[in-house]
């Protein structure tokens, strides 16, 4: 900082005044807010520090050296307090130490002014030494903050874990035949041409663009989430609005295109097409091989896999209307976003019913259709299991029941299909639910694929009023029990628990215990007194504490601490409240969400990316919701834009719901919980032991005030989209909000290769072989909810050809 030769000159006075005013202003805010925090039962640090800073500012204005010494004491005490409260967690120390370190350095420049009478002729040399020391101190603090959080690992066991296997049709090879690699959903490939030793040499081979970008009416609503299939020499890509294209796998050139002309009015929460399904029948006639998929306006389509021509023998001209039997609906309420699962010639279809709109929402019925003719094979209406076909004239499938918006898993050998069910149509209030809803909401249900008959069900949340619906597809493996393989299903959840179930019966193969959970809220008589917990396999984190509140500065952190103390929080399953905000942790985005998990059977390892973020929620009494104009989407006179922010009307229930999924500091826009916000973990499947766990996602696209920091440091970002594991020991994954596509060593968690995508990578990767060459690819389509750039790219990489 330049110094005036006249120590009492204008510049010196202005500089001293500004520093004193900044220190004093921060001190006042900390003192007042800190007193509020004390009254709420929180930390005393802010009030004490705030008062001390005000005193320091007054002394600096009076040109007294004591102001510098007092701030030095404040800074030293802050360092001690910060290390005591959060240790060497660098990101946690940003709001505690960053601004104080900068202020301390700036204050040290005042010494030539304040110390001239005390130090005489040597004051300049002393000042220079102190300034250099202060800069060194500040640099050391900033370098300490910049250290990434370290990958953790546990000591390997003394004995090798029991072997895990998958069926022959459970692993992908040259082709990527289904959304999860195969209908078994393991996301595991036997390909091993790309290895940890050569993956750094990957080069981009081609880029394909679907041409599907948001029209003005769809701005802020695109989230394609697509994983293309690869069969033979062809890829099958589904865009955000359900446009399906056949693409040459070797070159990325489009071969055919089928546009179902879906209106943007049909977009529910987001424009999404996670994938399509492939079916090969006998012979070589038209549509012997076909592609099936659902649309946002609730149609099931079938086209010839070679030409994209609609299959004339399927439904009516290649189309089945999924609105049959649904009853009253409006655009956006009932939409298909996930691919069908085909088992024994039956295409099993669920649908997304728009969350939080009304008790009288469309049914969550799951239906099976003949894959050749499109005829309805069966319907499973959990509210009316006697109805197995189309409802009689004037009747509809039971309204408001739990739906399957995500992807089912198919078991050709057992003839079963496993449905990850969501919640009832009103997520955050349950007292109006029927007994069948209470039995099946947030449960995995196994149906006979030929009849639709329920075989078994396993519920992961009892009486769910937290929107912890099952988003991830289950994965099928053979799990060792007493030395013998048992057909099993591995099920991830939003709470973070991972269950291993006997897929013949639904019985847990690893320990599950019922634990007492908090009671109270607006429905004390409805809530279950206990909830199931997996004691072996889990991604769950300890309960939140006040010390984990975050931000960019101490003021940000103080704001979040006050919010935390004012809210109701009793750990996981905190009962929803209308009297005050309540904290839901983990939030409705997980834990594990729709990206699911990947399983390496050769190594017996689960690879799971997860989110680590709370929601800040409030139930809104009906009168307040009505006064704010909260109405179901597309209802006459209704609007989703209200003073209540992200809110669901929950019409028909006594309360609407306000959900703050990104609990942020108003000024800087940073999240209220300290990093990491997401991670990647390797878990030994046989034992549940964590092999390694690392923050996943860098800070390069994140920063205060929405300004990207471009820091290549692991902060752990929110992430959506799964991973692929290959036989060579590589994990391929994008998912995070930093727009990077990575290859990670499954043995260590180290990143071996990464590349910047042209848009967000919120999708599942895929890998395949073409003409003897292994490719790895991903759709970079971006995601409105994850706030990543929207695109229409499908990209493929391979090793250089010799």
């Amino acid at each position: 900082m330049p110094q005036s030769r006249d120590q009492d000159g204008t510049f010196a006075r202005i500089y001293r005044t500004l520093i004193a005013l900044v220190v004093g202003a921060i001190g006042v805010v900390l003192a007042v807010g800190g007193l509020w925090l004390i009254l709420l039962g929180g930390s005393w640090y802010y009030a004490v520090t705030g008062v001390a800073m005000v005193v320091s500012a007054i002394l600096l204005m009076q040109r007294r050296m004591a102001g510098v010494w007092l701030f030095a004491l404040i800074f030293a005490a802050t360092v001690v307090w910060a290390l005591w409260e959060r240790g060497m967690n660098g990101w946690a120390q940003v709001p505690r130490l960053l601004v104080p370190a900068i202020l301390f350095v700036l204050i040290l420049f005042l010494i030539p002014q304040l110390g001239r009478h005390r130090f005489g002729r040597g004051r300049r040399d002393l000042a220079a030494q102190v300034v250099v020391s202060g800069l060194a101190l500040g640099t050391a603090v900033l370098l300490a903050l910049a250290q990434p959080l370290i990958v953790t690992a546990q000591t390997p066991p003394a004995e090798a874990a029991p072997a895990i296997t998958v069926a022959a049709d459970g692993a992908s090879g040259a082709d990527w035949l289904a959304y999860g690699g195969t209908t078994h959903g393991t996301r595991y490939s036997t390909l091993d041409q790309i290895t940890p030793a050569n993956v750094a040499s990957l080069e981009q081979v081609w880029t394909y663009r679907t041409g599907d970008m948001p029209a003005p009416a769809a701005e802020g609503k695109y989230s394609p989430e697509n994983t293309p299939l690869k069969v033979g020499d062809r890829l099958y890509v589904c865009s955000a609005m359900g446009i399906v294209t056949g693409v040459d796998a070797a070159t990325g050139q489009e071969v055919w295109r089928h546009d179902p002309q879906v209106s943007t009015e049909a977009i529910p929460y987001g424009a999404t097409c996670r994938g399509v399904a492939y079916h090969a029948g006998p012979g070589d006639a038209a549509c012997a091989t076909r592609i099936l998929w659902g649309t946002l306006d609730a149609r099931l389509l079938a086209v010839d896999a070679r030409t994209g021509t609609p299959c004339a023998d399927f439904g009516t001209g290649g189309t089945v209307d999924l609105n049959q039997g649904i009853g009253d609906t409006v655009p956006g309420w009932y939409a298909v976003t996930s691919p069908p699962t085909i088992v024994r010639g039956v295409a099993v279809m669920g649908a997304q019913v728009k969350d939080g709109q009304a008790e009288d929402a469309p049914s969550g019925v799951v239906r099976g259709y003949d894959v050749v003719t499109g005829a309805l094979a069966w319907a499973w209406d959990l509210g009316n299991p006697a109805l197995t076909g189309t409802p009689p004239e004037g009747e509809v499938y039971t309204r408001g029941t739990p739906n399957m918006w995500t992807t089912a898993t198919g078991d050709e050998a057992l003839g079963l299909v496993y449905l990850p069910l969501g919640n009832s149509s009103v997520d955050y209030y349950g007292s109006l639910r029927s007994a069948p809803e209470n039995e099946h909401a947030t449960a995995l249900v196994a149906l006979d694929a030929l009849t639709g008959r329920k075989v078994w069900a396993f519920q992961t949340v009892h009486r769910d009023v937290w929107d912890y619906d099952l988003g991830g597809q289950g994965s099928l493996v053979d799990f060792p029990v007493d030395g013998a393989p048992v057909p099993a299903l591995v099920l991830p959840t939003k709470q973070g628990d991972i269950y291993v179930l006997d897929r013949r019966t639904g019985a847990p193969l690893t320990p599950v215990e019922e634990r007492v959970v908090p009671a109270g809220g607006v429905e004390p008589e409805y809530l279950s007194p206990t909830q199931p917990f997996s004691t072996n396999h889990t991604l769950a984190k300890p309960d939140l504490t006040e010390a984990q509140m975050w931000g960019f500065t101490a003021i940000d952190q103080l704001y979040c601490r006050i919010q935390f103390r004012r809210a109701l929080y009793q750990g996981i399953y905190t009962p929803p409240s209308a009297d005050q905000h309540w904290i839901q942790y983990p939030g409705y985005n997980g834990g594990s969400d729709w990206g699911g998990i990947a399983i390496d059977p050769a190594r017996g390892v689960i690879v799971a990316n997860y989110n680590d973020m709370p929601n800040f929620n409030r139930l809104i009494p009906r009168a307040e919701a009505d006064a704010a104009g909260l109405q179901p989407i597309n209802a006459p006179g209704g609007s989703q834009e209200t003073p209540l922010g992200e809110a669901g009307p929950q019409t028909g229930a006594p309360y609407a719901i306000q959900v703050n999924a990104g609990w942020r500091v108003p000024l800087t826009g940073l999240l209220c919980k300290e990093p990491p916000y997401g991670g990647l973990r390797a878990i030994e499947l046989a034992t549940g032991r964590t092999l390694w766990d690392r923050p996943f996602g860098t800070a390069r696209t994140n920063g205060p005030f929405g300004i990207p920091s471009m820091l290549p440091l692991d902060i752990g970002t929110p992430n959506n989209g799964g991973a692929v594991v290959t036989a060579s020991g590589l994990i391929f994954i994008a998912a995070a909000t930093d727009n990077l596509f990575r290859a990670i060593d499954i043995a260590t968690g180290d990143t071996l290769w990464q590349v910047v995508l042209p848009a967000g990578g919120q999708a599942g990767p895929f890998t395949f072989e073409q003409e003897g060459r292994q490719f790895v690819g991903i759709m970079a389509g971006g995601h409105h909810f994850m706030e990543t750039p929207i695109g229409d790219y499908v990209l493929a990489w391979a090793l250089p050809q010799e």
Side-chain angles (χ1 to χ4, degrees), residues 346-396:
V346 177
V348 179
M349 297 292 301
Q352 173 183 332
V353 178
K354 186 75 169 65
D355 279 350
Q357 299 304 301
E359 285 279 355
D360 189 37
S363 176
V365 61
V366 177
R367 290 171 284 188
Y369 294 89
D370 186 287
V371 74
V372 175
T373 67
L376 179 65
W378 50 260
W380 183 62
D381 177 357
L382 65 85
N384 184 10
L387 176 61
T388 59
T390 303
E393 185 71 26
E395 297 183 18
V396 299

Side-chain angles (χ1 to χ4, degrees), residues 72 93 117-118 120 122-123 203 217 281 288 312 327 350 377 455 514 596 647 666 782 790 801:
Q93 302 299 359
H117 301 299
R118 182 184 298 272
R123 66 184 184 275
E203 61 181 17
V455 178
E514 291 281 335
I790 302 301
Q801 290 182 309

